[in-house]
Amino acid sequence: MKLVDTGRGLVSRDIFAREDIYGEELEKLFTRAWLFVGHESLVPNPGDYFVSRMGAESVILCRDRARRLHVFLNTCRHRGMKVCLYDQGNAQSFVCPYHSWTYATDGKLVGVPHQDPLYKGLDKNEWSLIEVPRMANYKGTVWASWDAQAPDFLEYLGGAKEHLDMALDRLDGEEGGTVVFGGVHKWIVPANWKLPAENFCGDTYHNPSHRSVDMIGIGPSARDGVKGRRDPELEHAQHLWISFPAGHGIHSAVRSTGEYFAAFKDSKIVEEYYRHCHEARKKRLGDKARLLPFVGTIFPNCSYHGRQPRALCVWHPHGPTSTEIWRFFLVDRDAPAEVKDMLRRFYMRYAGPAGMTEQDDMENWNYATAGARGPIARRYPFNYQQSLGAWRNGDPVPGVVSTQMTEENARRFYDRWSQYLAGAAWPQLLGSEA
Ligand code: FES
Ligand SMILES: [Fe+2]
């Protein structure tokens, strides 16, 4: 059988465990697709850096002395040592710990110990840190691609933009204005990276996994008697599962009523803030304010949670059966301290390695990956047949849309994945004919 046969709704377990397929992903997918690297709010000042990853490789997001952003491979040009051993900080320059070659914050090689007489004739301009050829700063989020031929980031994003926007814009509907707040949660799970990526494409079917959290009330406002893991923001809403040609899968919703839903009994400041944002968003966006974000995956491995807990999640490949999860929490830059504190508590009880909801998901991904390893189990494909064929084009929003729960987004995610592994050209990877 083909590894991916979405016409019949079948995907081989091999792609979630085989070492050689993982190697191909690193070679053919992670070297080409646009990848989320970080957020400019993590590097506000000259010399600030945040060490990130692109695929399995370490990269440095850095703001140079002239305040320009760069993304460098975190490897010395001499013998490959990491030039930056820390997660985040501020540096005058990057001094390699091995033999002290020194790079400026714009990546230029500026120091080679004993250059004279040891490296006579060395042209330092040729030995700068390796920089990504393509980088985009979109509303503070920094993305990069190793493929110089990659289309512009906005073209790559396509119609997924208006959904991602809702996670990146302020709660009152004004464009941009969100920042990463608190630390970045980072942890490793024994799961293939594609399982969480497809889950965030809109796997609504997995709700029973969260039954225990839904029996109690852990939502941000956690009103008396209101159960569930989030506030009931998406009640009375038409849910939409939408996929876009570059492989992005989105789950958003259109609310039928414009009423305010939360009730923060414990804090007048928090209550006023949310009520104000709600009214201001309605005023600013009109009918469009009815569209609400839920979750989505920007192909291949960056997902967002658009309501609360508002976050960007990266599923870094860490081996065929291992994923390093990074979670960046987002908040409006000018939200009151009381709101940030309330959210900090909610984010911790919901998400991250100890989050009550996240633990349910991790357990599923861990065992599903284990279930893809056995030589007998691998003879039997996974079933992706939910709502086969039940989609419409551009109705009621742009994209391939289903108003019924579906695995269409996952099917299209794996179609795109196969095309990268087959070495397809860009027009095809964007859904156009070559
Ligand atoms: S490996 Fe960096 S200076 Fe030698
Ligand atoms: Fe979940």
Side-chain angles (χ1 to χ4, degrees):
M1 147 201 175
K2 290 198 291 185
L3 290 175
V4 171
D5 183 351
T6 53
R8 292 198 296 151
L10 301 176
V11 174
S12 167
R13 298 184 189 219
D14 283 350
I15 75 167
F16 302 100
R18 253 173 49 190
E19 186 86 43
D20 60 324
I21 294 176
Y22 174 73
E24 277 195 63
E25 289 177 334
L26 296 185
E27 287 281 348
K28 299 178 178 172
L29 196 165
F30 286 95
T31 53
R32 299 186 67 200
W34 279 95
L35 305 174
F36 175 78
V37 172
H39 197 283
E40 67 172 350
S41 61
L42 296 163
V43 288
N45 302 309
D48 283 352
Y49 63 84
F50 173 77
V51 170
S52 186
R53 296 176 50 151
M54 291 177 70
E57 291 175 293
S58 177
V59 296
I60 308 169
L61 167 64
C62 173
R63 193 180 290 280
D64 72 16
R65 299 275 134 201
R67 307 196 71 91
R68 283 178 314 229
L69 289 175
H70 299 268
V71 176
F72 302 118
L73 209 53
N74 187 7
T75 182
C76 181
R77 297 296 303 276
H78 179 229
R79 203 70 89 249
M81 174 62 185
K82 269 185 168 184
V83 295
C84 185
L85 287 172
Y86 306 100
D87 290 345
Q88 202 173 347
N90 183 280
Q92 294 289 328
S93 56
F94 296 105
V95 183
C96 178
Y98 202 169
H99 314 89
S100 295
W101 281 26
T102 299
Y103 302 87
T105 52
D106 63 1
K108 296 240 160 57
L109 178 63
V110 290
V112 174
H114 313 294
Q115 186 177 354
D116 187 16
L118 301 185
Y119 289 93
K120 277 198 171 148
L122 177 83
D123 181 357
K124 293 213 279 294
N125 290 321
E126 288 180 11
W127 297 94
S128 303
L129 289 177
I130 298 157
E131 181 158 12
V132 288
R134 304 298 301 282
M135 191 192 72
N137 179 351
Y138 184 63
K139 294 187 173 178
T141 56
V142 180
W143 307 74
S145 165
W146 288 111
D147 186 348
Q149 310 306 320
D152 285 347
F153 179 66
L154 284 181
E155 196 187 336
Y156 180 81
L157 206 49
K161 174 183 172 298
E162 70 169 318
H163 302 272
L164 176 66
D165 274 349
M166 292 187 285
L168 303 181
D169 291 344
R170 285 160 47 114
L171 279 189
D172 65 6
E174 197 179 318
E175 295 229 352
T178 43
V179 293
V180 169
F181 105 111
V184 180
H185 281 170
K186 302 175 181 177
W187 72 109
I188 291 172
V189 296
N192 182 275
W193 67 272
K194 295 186 289 302
L195 288 166
E198 70 151 72
N199 177 290
F200 271 75
C201 278
D203 178 353
T204 318
Y205 198 52
H206 84 282
N207 245 346
S209 301
H210 298 303
R211 188 142 187 272
S212 55
V213 210
D214 281 337
M215 287 170 75
I216 52 174
I218 67 161
S221 67
R223 281 177 291 168
D224 295 340
V226 173
K227 302 238 187 297
R229 58 193 191 271
R230 293 182 291 268
D231 281 351
E233 303 162 284
L234 299 180
E235 279 178 9
H236 312 295
Q238 169 68 64
H239 287 243
L240 302 171
W241 291 265
I242 316 155
S243 43
F244 293 99
H248 320 311
I250 304 291
H251 178 179
S252 290
V254 181
R255 281 194 101 212
S256 50
T257 75
E259 82 200 71
Y260 177 69
F261 47 83
F264 296 91
K265 285 185 175 166
D266 299 343
S267 166
K268 206 160 166 261
I269 294 172
V270 177
E271 173 67 16
E272 273 170 9
Y273 172 77
Y274 277 92
R275 197 172 278 281
H276 163 78
C277 288
H278 179 78
E279 294 304 330
R281 186 169 189 268
K282 267 205 303 191
K283 214 162 143 191
R284 184 171 274 121
L285 302 182
D287 201 40
K288 277 195 159 175
R290 290 171 50 222
L291 183 66
L292 296 179
F294 185 25
V295 291
T297 291
I298 304 303
F299 190 89
N301 69 330
C302 175
S303 302
Y304 66 83
H305 211 302
R307 302 299 300 166
Q308 314 287 11
R310 201 148 48 127
L312 290 166
C313 329
V314 194
W315 321 108
H316 294 296
H318 199 64
T321 56
S322 182
T323 300
E324 184 165 336
I325 304 180
W326 286 15
R327 182 69 56 110
F328 302 73
F329 295 102
L330 296 170
V331 71
D332 288 4
R333 181 189 299 276
D334 55 3
E338 287 81 355
V339 169
K340 290 182 177 169
D341 193 49
M342 180 280 292
L343 287 175
R344 188 173 56 78
R345 291 165 197 278
F346 170 57
Y347 291 175
M348 285 192 297
R349 66 182 180 263
Y350 184 102
M356 294 171 76
T357 308
E358 191 105 57
Q359 290 182 42
D360 302 330
D361 294 316
M362 288 191 282
E363 187 169 46
N364 293 325
W365 304 330
N366 295 356
Y367 285 117
T369 298
R373 294 174 73 153
I376 300 296
R378 287 221 308 266
R379 296 175 189 167
Y380 300 88
F382 286 160
N383 181 308
Y384 286 81
Q385 295 173 336
Q386 188 186 106
S387 303
L388 256 175
W391 53 270
R392 294 188 301 244
N393 228 327
D395 178 25
V397 292
V400 166
V401 186
S402 176
T403 49
Q404 119 182 1
M405 201 184 281
T406 181
E407 287 171 348
E408 188 64 27
N409 289 1
R411 286 190 285 272
R412 287 170 188 263
F413 176 94
Y414 288 113
D415 275 338
R416 194 53 73 229
W417 176 90
S418 330
Q419 287 178 335
Y420 275 90
L421 264 63
W426 270 110
Q428 206 184 342
L429 295 175
L430 286 183
S432 330
E433 295 306 316

